[in-house]
Amino acid sequence: MVMIDLYCDESNDNTTYSLAGWIASPTSWDRIVPHWRQMLEDLNMPEFHAAEIVGRDTISDSRFKGWTFDQEVEAFKRAVNILVEPCYCADLKAVGCSISVPGYLASGIKFADEQDGIWMLLFVKLFYELATKFPPGKGFNLMFDERKEVRDDVNNYAYQAQNIFQKVHPELRKTITIGFGKSQEILPLQTADLFSYEWRKRITDRRERPDKKARVSYTRLRAGRPALLHHYGDETFRELHSVEESAEKKGTGLGFIEAFMLHKGTED
């Protein structure tokens, strides 16, 4: 069994929830890590944490208080340079799922509560993509930050989602392990933080500030690396609700979760 490493992170605001990161062979990660560590040393950074850097003036305990805008730009530029450099990581690919909160709420789909439904769907879709978009004989090591809020989301939803997926598609069973680590020590987790933040922010900006240009860092990441991304916005949720109702009337038993797995959504 060939194992592939996926470092994943969650990012959310009132408009968008994203579950995203980077997937690559262990060999590629071994090449990336020294360059990332050198960047942290050069810029005197405790770690790369996108939201804490950008929101340093409003986050009371931000470790980046006092940074200038030029320092912020340099940090994002250096980080993106590493991720788009072909010789560092030939097989690196962005992987992610995201949901429009207004679209989800307007769909009328009911779970125990808003977050339950959103996180369950995101994890189910992630497992479905790993099982269907990668060759047989490959397994996956999923690594998440051990921060309490992240660990709680994974423990509350990921294992349930994995069971649901395997019940719906037992023929697609894959070896998927889930682990946690400190982002300051496991540097690839910081690369996941960067992409999840950039993708979530771009989706929210497109909805709330449609005239705003994409951030340079996001544009470079998307142009420089292949991606397997699925976003579910307002129209997608309307389509999914329609599919579910139609399936139920026909007696096929196709539920919303299965319809969600099969729907491609949009990339951003």
Side-chain angles (χ1 to χ4, degrees):
M1 174 71 67
V2 178
M3 301 298 286
I4 306 174
D5 295 334
L6 169 57
Y7 293 89
C8 210
D9 195 24
E10 45 109 332
S11 182
N12 64 82
D13 53 35
N14 293 330
T15 302
T16 309
Y17 274 60
S18 71
L19 180 64
W22 298 99
I23 194 165
S25 65
T27 301
S28 286
W29 286 118
D30 287 344
R31 287 197 294 265
I32 293 170
V33 165
H35 297 284
W36 197 270
R37 181 176 291 111
Q38 187 63 54
M39 173 195 71
L40 297 179
E41 293 177 2
D42 291 346
L43 301 182
N44 194 27
M45 299 172 65
E47 67 175 305
F48 191 102
H49 188 197
E52 191 180 347
I53 296 171
V54 176
R56 59 191 175 277
D57 294 330
T58 57
I59 298 174
S60 61
D61 58 349
S62 172
R63 294 165 291 179
F64 301 92
K65 281 193 179 298
W67 265 37
T68 66
F69 180 67
D70 286 344
Q71 285 176 293
E72 174 187 328
V73 170
E74 181 65 13
F76 277 83
K77 179 181 177 181
R78 288 281 299 271
V80 172
N81 283 348
I82 293 169
L83 295 174
V84 300
E85 175 54 59
C87 69
Y88 294 164
C89 37
D91 60 350
L92 188 70
K93 176 182 287 188
V95 177
C97 317
S98 61
I99 283 177
S100 160
V101 177
Y104 169 82
L105 294 176
S107 71
I109 304 302
K110 299 297 183 184
F111 286 83
D113 61 37
E114 176 185 319
Q115 277 204 347
D116 278 352
I118 289 174
W119 287 121
M120 185 65 70
L121 292 173
L122 289 174
F123 277 109
V124 166
K125 183 63 177 179
L126 177 64
F127 293 133
Y128 178 79
E129 292 302 304
L130 293 179
T132 58
K133 298 302 192 298
F134 292 88
K138 291 189 183 296
F140 302 91
N141 297 314
L142 271 64
M143 180 65 70
F144 294 89
D145 195 329
E146 69 173 17
R147 295 194 319 270
K148 182 180 185 304
E149 59 270 28
V150 178
R151 184 185 284 270
D152 286 349
D153 286 338
V154 175
N155 286 333
N156 288 338
Y157 309 116
Y159 300 104
Q160 291 184 61
Q162 192 172 14
N163 289 335
I164 290 172
F165 164 69
Q166 291 179 344
K167 285 179 181 178
V168 175
H169 288 289
E171 77 283 3
L172 296 178
R173 186 175 294 272
K174 289 265 190 178
T175 298
I176 298 176
T177 65
I178 297 175
F180 301 91
K182 293 180 181 295
S183 56
Q184 283 185 276
E185 299 173 0
I186 301 178
L187 303 189
L189 287 170
Q190 299 175 30
T191 72
D193 169 88
L194 168 58
F195 186 75
S196 188
Y197 173 87
E198 290 286 359
W199 188 38
R200 185 268 308 161
K201 190 174 191 321
R202 182 56 188 152
I203 293 168
T204 294
D205 284 346
R206 283 171 64 94
R207 183 188 183 95
E208 298 185 349
R209 295 172 287 275
D211 294 333
K212 184 176 181 179
K213 291 183 178 179
R215 286 164 55 88
V216 172
S217 46
Y218 174 77
T219 302
R220 292 185 63 214
L221 288 171
R222 290 302 311 277
R225 283 292 163 193
L228 182 62
L229 303 174
H230 298 273
H231 174 63
Y232 295 84
D234 296 8
E235 183 60 34
T236 305
F237 273 106
R238 285 192 288 269
E239 291 175 12
L240 285 165
H241 195 46
S242 175
V243 167
E244 185 196 23
E245 288 182 338
S246 175
E248 288 177 347
K249 289 174 183 176
K250 293 176 182 177
T252 63
L254 180 66
F256 182 81
I257 288 180
E258 186 167 7
F260 184 88
M261 279 192 288
L262 295 175
H263 199 292
K264 293 182 179 180
T266 59
E267 281 204 346
D268 52 28

